[in-house]
Amino acid sequence: MNAPIENAAYVIAPVGIPTLGVEGSTQLFPIHRIYCVGRNYAEHAIEMGHDPNKEPPFFFQKNPDNVIADGTFPYPDKSSDVHFEIEMLVAIGKGGINIPIESALDHVWGYGVGLDMTRRDLQGEAKKLGRPWEVGKAFEASAPCSALVPASRIGHPTDGKVWLNVNGKPRQVGDLNQMIWKVPEMISYLSGLFELKAGDIIMSGTPAGVGAIVRGDLMEGGVDGVGTLTAKVV
């Protein structure tokens, strides 16, 4: 049952709705689902041991409450190899099924910057065993994110540096124009597999240069023309 029941008496207190802030506003963007695009930059696919010419991008999910926006990243338990992956966020403002590529951008509310933090050791074990990746991807606080910026303010970026520094040293550098699947294609494809809804977030893939962090590191990244993100590893 998805529809809210007015004056319902819940047997337990319902969990609050995860949200992201809006740059320059007190309004909040409610998060429905988070879809992540895998291997959407050719050089990153290569560094992970895959051939981008033979393997199209694929999709996995994080949980909405994996989002954290307080400028920290708490290093998770049960892992000793946690990696950063800087990405542009695409915030969906209007849902749909089988959305045509030509009208896909009409469904975008805005954009932001996020980190797809990954317990690489646990993800690697899951891959070897042919198991799902949730343990490596969908853990608590695994999605540090910036505030969102409306597309009505910045348009729909197709070019712009995607970058991440750790402790002031460049680690990842790419450009939005290097994405294998562009934003309209992602939206169209996903809407053929799922019913996209207002509040969905798409993490659009990461450029090459991913690597490990340790407690005390400072991650600073951004997407030119969209925004920046800072997260201290604690």
Short mmCIF file of all heavy atoms in Angstrom, two decimals, residues 170-232:
data_model
loop_
_atom_site.label_atom_id
_atom_site.label_comp_id
_atom_site.label_asym_id
_atom_site.label_seq_id
_atom_site.Cartn_x
_atom_site.Cartn_y
_atom_site.Cartn_z
N PRO A 170 44.77 16.25 -6.77
CA PRO A 170 43.81 15.75 -7.76
C PRO A 170 43.82 14.23 -7.83
O PRO A 170 44.88 13.61 -7.92
CB PRO A 170 44.31 16.37 -9.07
CG PRO A 170 45.14 17.54 -8.66
CD PRO A 170 45.77 17.16 -7.37
N ARG A 171 42.63 13.65 -7.82
CA ARG A 171 42.50 12.19 -7.92
C ARG A 171 41.63 11.78 -9.10
O ARG A 171 41.92 10.80 -9.77
CB ARG A 171 41.93 11.62 -6.61
CG ARG A 171 42.79 11.90 -5.38
CD ARG A 171 44.15 11.22 -5.46
NE ARG A 171 44.03 9.77 -5.50
CZ ARG A 171 43.93 8.99 -4.41
NH1 ARG A 171 43.91 9.53 -3.20
NH2 ARG A 171 43.85 7.68 -4.55
N GLN A 172 40.55 12.48 -9.33
CA GLN A 172 39.69 12.19 -10.47
C GLN A 172 39.48 13.45 -11.29
O GLN A 172 39.22 14.52 -10.74
CB GLN A 172 38.32 11.68 -10.02
CG GLN A 172 38.30 10.27 -9.46
CD GLN A 172 36.87 9.80 -9.19
OE1 GLN A 172 36.36 9.97 -8.10
NE2 GLN A 172 36.23 9.20 -10.19
N VAL A 173 39.59 13.31 -12.61
CA VAL A 173 39.30 14.42 -13.52
C VAL A 173 38.68 13.83 -14.78
O VAL A 173 39.23 12.91 -15.39
CB VAL A 173 40.56 15.22 -13.91
CG1 VAL A 173 40.17 16.35 -14.87
CG2 VAL A 173 41.23 15.81 -12.68
N GLY A 174 37.53 14.35 -15.14
CA GLY A 174 36.86 13.94 -16.37
C GLY A 174 36.00 15.08 -16.86
O GLY A 174 36.11 16.21 -16.37
N ASP A 175 35.12 14.80 -17.80
CA ASP A 175 34.22 15.81 -18.32
C ASP A 175 32.89 15.15 -18.63
O ASP A 175 32.84 13.99 -19.06
CB ASP A 175 34.80 16.44 -19.60
CG ASP A 175 34.10 17.74 -19.96
OD1 ASP A 175 32.95 17.67 -20.44
OD2 ASP A 175 34.70 18.81 -19.76
N LEU A 176 31.80 15.89 -18.42
CA LEU A 176 30.48 15.35 -18.70
C LEU A 176 30.35 14.88 -20.15
O LEU A 176 29.59 13.95 -20.43
CB LEU A 176 29.40 16.41 -18.42
CG LEU A 176 29.21 16.83 -16.96
CD1 LEU A 176 28.17 17.94 -16.88
CD2 LEU A 176 28.79 15.63 -16.10
N ASN A 177 31.10 15.50 -21.05
CA ASN A 177 30.99 15.10 -22.46
C ASN A 177 31.61 13.73 -22.73
O ASN A 177 31.50 13.21 -23.85
CB ASN A 177 31.58 16.17 -23.39
CG ASN A 177 33.07 16.40 -23.16
OD1 ASN A 177 33.80 15.54 -22.70
ND2 ASN A 177 33.53 17.61 -23.50
N GLN A 178 32.26 13.14 -21.71
CA GLN A 178 32.85 11.81 -21.87
C GLN A 178 31.89 10.68 -21.48
O GLN A 178 32.23 9.50 -21.62
CB GLN A 178 34.12 11.70 -21.01
CG GLN A 178 35.22 12.65 -21.42
CD GLN A 178 36.36 12.70 -20.41
OE1 GLN A 178 36.20 12.34 -19.24
NE2 GLN A 178 37.52 13.14 -20.86
N MET A 179 30.71 11.03 -21.00
CA MET A 179 29.77 9.99 -20.61
C MET A 179 29.36 9.16 -21.82
O MET A 179 29.05 9.71 -22.88
CB MET A 179 28.53 10.58 -19.93
CG MET A 179 28.81 11.15 -18.56
SD MET A 179 27.31 11.47 -17.59
CE MET A 179 26.52 12.73 -18.57
N ILE A 180 29.35 7.84 -21.66
CA ILE A 180 28.96 6.95 -22.75
C ILE A 180 27.47 7.11 -23.02
O ILE A 180 27.05 7.27 -24.17
CB ILE A 180 29.29 5.49 -22.40
CG1 ILE A 180 30.81 5.32 -22.20
CG2 ILE A 180 28.79 4.54 -23.48
CD1 ILE A 180 31.21 3.98 -21.62
N TRP A 181 26.68 7.04 -21.99
CA TRP A 181 25.25 7.29 -22.09
C TRP A 181 24.97 8.67 -21.54
O TRP A 181 25.31 8.96 -20.39
CB TRP A 181 24.47 6.24 -21.31
CG TRP A 181 24.35 4.92 -22.02
CD1 TRP A 181 25.15 4.44 -23.03
CD2 TRP A 181 23.38 3.91 -21.76
NE1 TRP A 181 24.74 3.19 -23.40
CE2 TRP A 181 23.66 2.84 -22.65
CE3 TRP A 181 22.32 3.79 -20.88
CZ2 TRP A 181 22.90 1.67 -22.67
CZ3 TRP A 181 21.56 2.62 -20.89
CH2 TRP A 181 21.85 1.57 -21.79
N LYS A 182 24.34 9.51 -22.34
CA LYS A 182 24.02 10.87 -21.92
C LYS A 182 22.74 10.85 -21.08
O LYS A 182 22.01 9.86 -21.02
CB LYS A 182 23.85 11.77 -23.13
CG LYS A 182 25.00 11.69 -24.14
CD LYS A 182 26.37 11.94 -23.52
CE LYS A 182 27.46 11.91 -24.59
NZ LYS A 182 28.83 12.05 -24.02
N VAL A 183 22.48 11.98 -20.42
CA VAL A 183 21.35 12.05 -19.49
C VAL A 183 20.02 11.65 -20.14
O VAL A 183 19.27 10.84 -19.57
CB VAL A 183 21.27 13.44 -18.83
CG1 VAL A 183 19.99 13.57 -18.02
CG2 VAL A 183 22.49 13.68 -17.95
N PRO A 184 19.66 12.16 -21.32
CA PRO A 184 18.39 11.75 -21.91
C PRO A 184 18.31 10.24 -22.17
O PRO A 184 17.25 9.62 -22.01
CB PRO A 184 18.33 12.53 -23.22
CG PRO A 184 19.21 13.72 -23.00
CD PRO A 184 20.33 13.21 -22.14
N GLU A 185 19.44 9.64 -22.55
CA GLU A 185 19.47 8.20 -22.81
C GLU A 185 19.29 7.41 -21.52
O GLU A 185 18.59 6.38 -21.50
CB GLU A 185 20.77 7.82 -23.50
CG GLU A 185 20.92 8.42 -24.89
CD GLU A 185 22.31 8.24 -25.47
OE1 GLU A 185 23.31 8.39 -24.73
OE2 GLU A 185 22.40 7.95 -26.68
N MET A 186 19.93 7.86 -20.44
CA MET A 186 19.75 7.19 -19.15
C MET A 186 18.29 7.19 -18.73
O MET A 186 17.74 6.17 -18.31
CB MET A 186 20.55 7.91 -18.06
CG MET A 186 22.03 7.95 -18.21
SD MET A 186 22.70 8.88 -16.81
CE MET A 186 24.17 9.56 -17.54
N ILE A 187 17.68 8.36 -18.82
CA ILE A 187 16.28 8.50 -18.39
C ILE A 187 15.37 7.61 -19.23
O ILE A 187 14.50 6.90 -18.71
CB ILE A 187 15.85 9.97 -18.47
CG1 ILE A 187 16.61 10.80 -17.42
CG2 ILE A 187 14.34 10.10 -18.27
CD1 ILE A 187 16.41 12.29 -17.56
N SER A 188 15.56 7.63 -20.55
CA SER A 188 14.73 6.83 -21.44
C SER A 188 14.90 5.35 -21.15
O SER A 188 13.90 4.61 -21.04
CB SER A 188 15.08 7.14 -22.90
OG SER A 188 14.28 6.39 -23.78
N TYR A 189 16.13 4.91 -20.99
CA TYR A 189 16.39 3.49 -20.74
C TYR A 189 15.81 3.05 -19.40
O TYR A 189 15.12 2.02 -19.31
CB TYR A 189 17.90 3.23 -20.77
CG TYR A 189 18.27 1.77 -20.60
CD1 TYR A 189 18.42 0.94 -21.71
CD2 TYR A 189 18.46 1.22 -19.35
CE1 TYR A 189 18.76 -0.39 -21.57
CE2 TYR A 189 18.79 -0.11 -19.19
CZ TYR A 189 18.94 -0.92 -20.29
OH TYR A 189 19.27 -2.24 -20.15
N LEU A 190 16.08 3.81 -18.36
CA LEU A 190 15.59 3.46 -17.03
C LEU A 190 14.07 3.40 -16.99
O LEU A 190 13.48 2.52 -16.34
CB LEU A 190 16.08 4.48 -16.00
CG LEU A 190 17.45 4.22 -15.38
CD1 LEU A 190 17.86 5.41 -14.52
CD2 LEU A 190 17.44 2.96 -14.55
N SER A 191 13.42 4.31 -17.69
CA SER A 191 11.96 4.36 -17.66
C SER A 191 11.34 3.19 -18.41
O SER A 191 10.12 2.97 -18.32
CB SER A 191 11.45 5.68 -18.23
OG SER A 191 11.67 5.75 -19.63
N GLY A 192 12.15 2.44 -19.14
CA GLY A 192 11.68 1.21 -19.74
C GLY A 192 11.78 0.03 -18.80
O GLY A 192 11.15 -1.01 -19.02
N LEU A 193 12.58 0.17 -17.75
CA LEU A 193 12.76 -0.89 -16.76
C LEU A 193 11.97 -0.64 -15.49
O LEU A 193 11.53 -1.58 -14.82
CB LEU A 193 14.25 -1.01 -16.39
CG LEU A 193 15.20 -1.39 -17.52
CD1 LEU A 193 16.64 -1.30 -17.02
CD2 LEU A 193 14.90 -2.80 -18.03
N PHE A 194 11.83 0.63 -15.12
CA PHE A 194 11.13 1.04 -13.91
C PHE A 194 10.19 2.19 -14.25
O PHE A 194 10.42 2.91 -15.22
CB PHE A 194 12.12 1.55 -12.84
CG PHE A 194 13.17 0.57 -12.45
CD1 PHE A 194 14.41 0.55 -13.08
CD2 PHE A 194 12.95 -0.34 -11.42
CE1 PHE A 194 15.39 -0.35 -12.72
CE2 PHE A 194 13.93 -1.24 -11.05
CZ PHE A 194 15.15 -1.25 -11.70
N GLU A 195 9.19 2.36 -13.44
CA GLU A 195 8.37 3.57 -13.55
C GLU A 195 9.10 4.68 -12.79
O GLU A 195 9.13 4.67 -11.55
CB GLU A 195 6.98 3.37 -12.97
CG GLU A 195 6.11 4.62 -13.08
CD GLU A 195 4.73 4.46 -12.49
OE1 GLU A 195 4.39 3.35 -12.03
OE2 GLU A 195 3.98 5.46 -12.48
N LEU A 196 9.71 5.59 -13.51
CA LEU A 196 10.38 6.71 -12.86
C LEU A 196 9.33 7.61 -12.21
O LEU A 196 8.25 7.81 -12.76
CB LEU A 196 11.21 7.51 -13.86
CG LEU A 196 12.47 6.83 -14.40
CD1 LEU A 196 13.23 7.80 -15.30
CD2 LEU A 196 13.36 6.32 -13.29
N LYS A 197 9.69 8.15 -11.04
CA LYS A 197 8.76 9.01 -10.33
C LYS A 197 9.45 10.28 -9.88
O LYS A 197 10.68 10.32 -9.73
CB LYS A 197 8.17 8.28 -9.12
CG LYS A 197 7.30 7.10 -9.51
CD LYS A 197 6.56 6.51 -8.32
CE LYS A 197 5.62 5.40 -8.75
NZ LYS A 197 4.85 4.84 -7.62
N ALA A 198 8.65 11.32 -9.67
CA ALA A 198 9.21 12.55 -9.13
C ALA A 198 9.90 12.24 -7.81
O ALA A 198 9.34 11.54 -6.95
CB ALA A 198 8.10 13.57 -8.91
N GLY A 199 11.12 12.73 -7.65
CA GLY A 199 11.89 12.44 -6.45
C GLY A 199 13.00 11.43 -6.68
O GLY A 199 13.85 11.23 -5.82
N ASP A 200 13.02 10.80 -7.85
CA ASP A 200 14.11 9.88 -8.17
C ASP A 200 15.40 10.66 -8.43
O ASP A 200 15.37 11.77 -8.96
CB ASP A 200 13.77 9.02 -9.38
CG ASP A 200 12.74 7.95 -9.09
OD1 ASP A 200 12.54 7.62 -7.90
OD2 ASP A 200 12.14 7.43 -10.04
N ILE A 201 16.51 10.05 -8.05
CA ILE A 201 17.84 10.60 -8.29
C ILE A 201 18.61 9.60 -9.15
O ILE A 201 18.60 8.41 -8.87
CB ILE A 201 18.61 10.83 -6.98
CG1 ILE A 201 17.91 11.86 -6.09
CG2 ILE A 201 20.07 11.23 -7.25
CD1 ILE A 201 18.10 13.29 -6.51
N ILE A 202 19.28 10.10 -10.18
CA ILE A 202 20.18 9.26 -10.97
C ILE A 202 21.61 9.74 -10.73
O ILE A 202 21.91 10.92 -10.92
CB ILE A 202 19.87 9.34 -12.47
CG1 ILE A 202 18.43 8.89 -12.75
CG2 ILE A 202 20.85 8.48 -13.27
CD1 ILE A 202 17.99 9.10 -14.18
N MET A 203 22.47 8.83 -10.27
CA MET A 203 23.90 9.12 -10.17
C MET A 203 24.52 8.67 -11.49
O MET A 203 24.47 7.49 -11.86
CB MET A 203 24.51 8.40 -8.97
CG MET A 203 23.87 8.79 -7.65
SD MET A 203 24.71 8.13 -6.17
CE MET A 203 26.14 9.25 -6.07
N SER A 204 25.10 9.61 -12.24
CA SER A 204 25.32 9.43 -13.67
C SER A 204 26.65 8.79 -14.05
O SER A 204 26.99 8.74 -15.23
CB SER A 204 25.20 10.79 -14.37
OG SER A 204 26.15 11.70 -13.88
N GLY A 205 27.39 8.25 -13.10
CA GLY A 205 28.65 7.58 -13.42
C GLY A 205 29.86 8.43 -13.06
O GLY A 205 29.76 9.64 -12.88
N THR A 206 31.01 7.77 -12.95
CA THR A 206 32.22 8.43 -12.46
C THR A 206 33.36 8.31 -13.45
O THR A 206 33.49 7.29 -14.14
CB THR A 206 32.63 7.81 -11.10
OG1 THR A 206 33.57 8.67 -10.44
CG2 THR A 206 33.24 6.43 -11.25
N PRO A 207 34.21 9.34 -13.55
CA PRO A 207 35.39 9.24 -14.42
C PRO A 207 36.49 8.40 -13.77
O PRO A 207 36.37 7.96 -12.63
CB PRO A 207 35.83 10.70 -14.57
CG PRO A 207 35.32 11.39 -13.36
CD PRO A 207 34.04 10.69 -12.99
N ALA A 208 37.55 8.17 -14.50
CA ALA A 208 38.66 7.35 -14.01
C ALA A 208 39.34 8.03 -12.83
O ALA A 208 39.21 9.23 -12.60
CB ALA A 208 39.66 7.13 -15.14
N GLY A 209 40.08 7.21 -12.08
CA GLY A 209 40.87 7.73 -10.97
C GLY A 209 40.36 7.36 -9.60
O GLY A 209 40.86 7.87 -8.59
N VAL A 210 39.35 6.49 -9.52
CA VAL A 210 38.79 6.12 -8.22
C VAL A 210 39.89 5.50 -7.36
O VAL A 210 40.84 4.91 -7.86
CB VAL A 210 37.61 5.14 -8.38
CG1 VAL A 210 36.52 5.75 -9.22
CG2 VAL A 210 38.05 3.81 -8.97
N GLY A 211 39.72 5.67 -6.04
CA GLY A 211 40.73 5.13 -5.14
C GLY A 211 40.27 5.14 -3.70
O GLY A 211 39.15 5.59 -3.39
N ALA A 212 41.13 4.65 -2.83
CA ALA A 212 40.76 4.45 -1.43
C ALA A 212 40.97 5.72 -0.61
O ALA A 212 41.83 6.56 -0.92
CB ALA A 212 41.58 3.31 -0.84
N ILE A 213 40.19 5.83 0.46
CA ILE A 213 40.37 6.89 1.45
C ILE A 213 40.54 6.26 2.83
O ILE A 213 40.27 5.07 3.03
CB ILE A 213 39.17 7.88 1.46
CG1 ILE A 213 37.82 7.14 1.40
CG2 ILE A 213 39.27 8.82 0.28
CD1 ILE A 213 37.27 6.69 2.69
N VAL A 214 41.03 7.07 3.77
CA VAL A 214 41.18 6.64 5.16
C VAL A 214 40.62 7.74 6.05
O VAL A 214 40.38 8.87 5.60
CB VAL A 214 42.65 6.37 5.52
CG1 VAL A 214 43.22 5.23 4.68
CG2 VAL A 214 43.51 7.63 5.34
N ARG A 215 40.41 7.41 7.30
CA ARG A 215 39.89 8.42 8.24
C ARG A 215 40.84 9.61 8.31
O ARG A 215 42.05 9.45 8.35
CB ARG A 215 39.72 7.80 9.63
CG ARG A 215 38.54 6.83 9.72
CD ARG A 215 38.36 6.31 11.13
NE ARG A 215 37.21 5.43 11.23
CZ ARG A 215 37.21 4.13 10.99
NH1 ARG A 215 38.35 3.54 10.62
NH2 ARG A 215 36.11 3.42 11.11
N GLY A 216 40.27 10.78 8.32
CA GLY A 216 41.05 12.02 8.35
C GLY A 216 41.20 12.67 6.99
O GLY A 216 41.55 13.86 6.91
N ASP A 217 40.93 11.93 5.91
CA ASP A 217 41.03 12.51 4.57
C ASP A 217 39.93 13.54 4.34
O ASP A 217 38.83 13.44 4.89
CB ASP A 217 40.91 11.42 3.50
CG ASP A 217 42.19 10.61 3.31
OD1 ASP A 217 43.24 11.05 3.81
OD2 ASP A 217 42.13 9.55 2.66
N LEU A 218 40.22 14.52 3.49
CA LEU A 218 39.24 15.51 3.08
C LEU A 218 39.00 15.37 1.60
O LEU A 218 39.92 15.55 0.79
CB LEU A 218 39.72 16.93 3.40
CG LEU A 218 38.76 18.06 3.00
CD1 LEU A 218 37.45 17.96 3.79
CD2 LEU A 218 39.41 19.42 3.19
N MET A 219 37.76 15.04 1.22
CA MET A 219 37.38 14.92 -0.19
C MET A 219 36.69 16.20 -0.62
O MET A 219 35.74 16.66 0.02
CB MET A 219 36.45 13.72 -0.38
CG MET A 219 37.06 12.38 -0.01
SD MET A 219 35.92 10.97 -0.27
CE MET A 219 34.73 11.24 1.07
N GLU A 220 37.18 16.79 -1.71
CA GLU A 220 36.59 18.00 -2.27
C GLU A 220 36.42 17.78 -3.77
O GLU A 220 37.38 17.48 -4.47
CB GLU A 220 37.50 19.20 -2.03
CG GLU A 220 37.75 19.51 -0.56
CD GLU A 220 38.82 20.57 -0.37
OE1 GLU A 220 40.00 20.27 -0.63
OE2 GLU A 220 38.45 21.69 0.01
N GLY A 221 35.18 17.92 -4.24
CA GLY A 221 34.93 17.65 -5.65
C GLY A 221 33.82 18.51 -6.19
O GLY A 221 33.21 19.30 -5.48
N GLY A 222 33.57 18.33 -7.48
CA GLY A 222 32.51 19.11 -8.07
C GLY A 222 32.30 18.79 -9.53
O GLY A 222 33.02 18.00 -10.14
N VAL A 223 31.27 19.41 -10.08
CA VAL A 223 30.98 19.38 -11.50
C VAL A 223 30.85 20.84 -11.94
O VAL A 223 29.98 21.56 -11.44
CB VAL A 223 29.68 18.62 -11.80
CG1 VAL A 223 29.38 18.65 -13.29
CG2 VAL A 223 29.75 17.18 -11.30
N ASP A 224 31.74 21.28 -12.81
CA ASP A 224 31.73 22.67 -13.23
C ASP A 224 30.37 23.04 -13.81
O ASP A 224 29.82 22.31 -14.64
CB ASP A 224 32.83 22.93 -14.25
CG ASP A 224 34.21 22.97 -13.63
OD1 ASP A 224 34.32 22.77 -12.41
OD2 ASP A 224 35.20 23.20 -14.37
N GLY A 225 29.84 24.17 -13.38
CA GLY A 225 28.56 24.61 -13.84
C GLY A 225 27.38 24.07 -13.04
O GLY A 225 26.24 24.46 -13.26
N VAL A 226 27.68 23.14 -12.11
CA VAL A 226 26.63 22.53 -11.30
C VAL A 226 26.82 22.84 -9.81
O VAL A 226 25.95 23.40 -9.15
CB VAL A 226 26.56 21.01 -11.51
CG1 VAL A 226 25.53 20.37 -10.57
CG2 VAL A 226 26.22 20.70 -12.97
N GLY A 227 27.98 22.48 -9.26
CA GLY A 227 28.21 22.72 -7.85
C GLY A 227 29.43 21.99 -7.34
O GLY A 227 30.17 21.35 -8.10
N THR A 228 29.65 22.10 -6.03
CA THR A 228 30.79 21.47 -5.38
C THR A 228 30.31 20.69 -4.16
O THR A 228 29.20 20.88 -3.68
CB THR A 228 31.84 22.50 -4.96
OG1 THR A 228 31.23 23.44 -4.06
CG2 THR A 228 32.43 23.23 -6.17
N LEU A 229 31.22 19.85 -3.67
CA LEU A 229 30.91 18.97 -2.54
C LEU A 229 32.17 18.77 -1.72
O LEU A 229 33.25 18.56 -2.27
CB LEU A 229 30.40 17.61 -3.07
CG LEU A 229 30.24 16.47 -2.07
CD1 LEU A 229 29.14 16.78 -1.08
CD2 LEU A 229 29.95 15.18 -2.81
N THR A 230 32.04 18.85 -0.40
CA THR A 230 33.16 18.58 0.51
C THR A 230 32.69 17.57 1.54
O THR A 230 31.59 17.67 2.09
CB THR A 230 33.61 19.86 1.23
OG1 THR A 230 34.07 20.81 0.25
CG2 THR A 230 34.75 19.57 2.20
N ALA A 231 33.55 16.55 1.81
CA ALA A 231 33.21 15.54 2.81
C ALA A 231 34.47 15.12 3.54
O ALA A 231 35.43 14.65 2.91
CB ALA A 231 32.53 14.34 2.18
N LYS A 232 34.48 15.27 4.84
CA LYS A 232 35.58 14.85 5.70
C LYS A 232 35.34 13.41 6.13
O LYS A 232 34.25 13.07 6.62
CB LYS A 232 35.65 15.75 6.93
CG LYS A 232 36.73 15.39 7.92
CD LYS A 232 38.08 15.90 7.49
CE LYS A 232 39.12 15.72 8.61
NZ LYS A 232 40.45 16.23 8.23
#
